[in-house]
Amino acid sequence: MNKPIILLTLILLALNTQAQASEINIAPDFTVTDIEGNQHHLYEYLDEGKVVILDFSATWCEPCWIYAESQVLDEVQELYGEEGTNEIVVLFIENDGDTNADDLNGLTPESKGDWASTVHYPIVDGPDGVTVGEAFGVTTYPSVYTIYPNRVQIVSGTKSVEGHYAFANSENYLSPGGANNAGVLEMASNPFSCGPAEPVFVLQNLGSEELSTLNIEVLANGSVVQNFTWNEN
């Protein structure tokens, strides 16, 4: 069952400090077909509790080819993908609409090599790859994104195998589950400034039921200074 992922921004102790805007990015959903004919649905993977790594590349991109030859993401897929611990999904997104199968197979002067034989995780090419790249606003290659089960996306970059696994299990990770499950996704203002403060934080509904009420306690030096009840839908 798909779980409702709902973001709520709550403002407490509204005094004089201007709160910062939230910079949380929720990944757009997509369903794509790889060059082997297999379908991949992003939100379905996330609802299974898996972390998804997207490798946006182009066949003519030298840094992309160097990273592909390093086999880092192949090893991530091997260790933590379906044939390993089954907690991470890695997808290669070829993001140039002018490339074709010959480019993927390294048969054109522009291509940096035989991508189809070098990359052993699923490869998405053609219109699907372009559409996904546009949805994520990709402008440079390689661009590597990590997407968590709560659908938050972060540009994670070209890390080592250990780096990718650590990032996949970092503090950004919040897992949907249960019926009533409210998670604190972000503090959007500095709660440690001197003088009046305006704490702003973003909650996310990680449960399978609608979130209609919650109780919040504001503490200063361990003592409750304000109780706040939120009632919405």
Side-chain angles (χ1 to χ4, degrees):
M1 176 175 62
N2 289 337
K3 301 174 179 64
I5 303 293
I6 303 168
L7 302 184
L8 315 167
T9 301
L10 304 182
I11 302 177
L12 306 178
L13 300 176
L15 299 173
N16 299 325
T17 303
Q18 180 65 39
Q20 302 171 5
S22 174
E23 297 181 355
I24 297 170
N25 292 311
I26 298 298
D29 192 17
F30 62 78
T31 299
V32 294
T33 302
D34 65 31
I35 61 175
E36 302 295 331
N38 302 307
Q39 275 200 338
H40 304 274
H41 182 192
L42 176 63
Y43 278 14
E44 183 176 330
Y45 286 138
L46 302 181
D47 285 344
E48 292 171 354
K50 298 176 182 177
V51 173
V52 176
I53 298 175
L54 301 181
D55 172 15
F56 290 98
S57 294
T59 58
W60 44 259
C61 168
E62 182 72 26
C64 304
W65 177 246
I66 293 172
Y67 195 57
E69 280 195 306
S70 75
Q71 300 286 289
V72 165
L73 289 176
D74 283 284
E75 190 171 345
V76 171
Q77 178 77 355
E78 180 182 353
L79 292 174
Y80 309 113
E82 189 174 7
E83 301 302 320
T85 59
N86 200 24
E87 53 191 312
I88 295 177
V89 175
V90 185
L91 298 176
F92 179 96
I93 310 293
E94 212 296 325
N95 200 219
D96 188 337
D98 293 328
T99 61
N100 53 36
D102 285 344
D103 294 297
L104 282 174
N105 291 308
L107 301 177
T108 62
E110 295 80 12
S111 178
K112 295 301 178 181
D114 187 350
W115 299 83
S117 297
T118 302
V119 174
H120 300 103
Y121 43 99
I123 297 174
V124 178
D125 191 27
D128 276 359
V130 174
T131 299
V132 175
E134 290 175 348
F136 279 81
V138 174
T139 58
T140 59
Y141 311 117
S143 287
V144 180
Y145 285 68
T146 296
I147 307 169
Y148 297 90
N150 62 336
R151 302 177 187 177
V152 170
Q153 67 174 44
I154 299 178
V155 178
S156 47
T158 52
K159 302 181 181 301
S160 64
V161 174
E162 296 78 12
H164 279 297
Y165 187 70
F167 200 83
N169 290 278
S170 70
E171 67 275 5
N172 304 301
Y173 179 93
L174 291 174
S175 181
N180 298 293
N181 184 1
V184 178
L185 189 60
E186 182 189 54
M187 282 293 296
S189 62
N190 180 9
F192 304 110
S193 59
C194 296
E198 185 183 67
V200 176
F201 60 94
V202 178
L203 290 178
Q204 187 173 41
N205 183 5
L206 299 166
S208 59
E209 299 296 329
E210 291 181 349
L211 184 63
S212 59
T213 184
L214 56 87
N215 299 316
I216 300 161
E217 288 184 346
V218 183
L219 290 84
N221 297 322
S223 299
V224 176
V225 295
Q226 183 181 5
N227 289 304
F228 180 82
T229 301
W230 175 85
N231 293 293
E232 289 291 344
N233 187 21

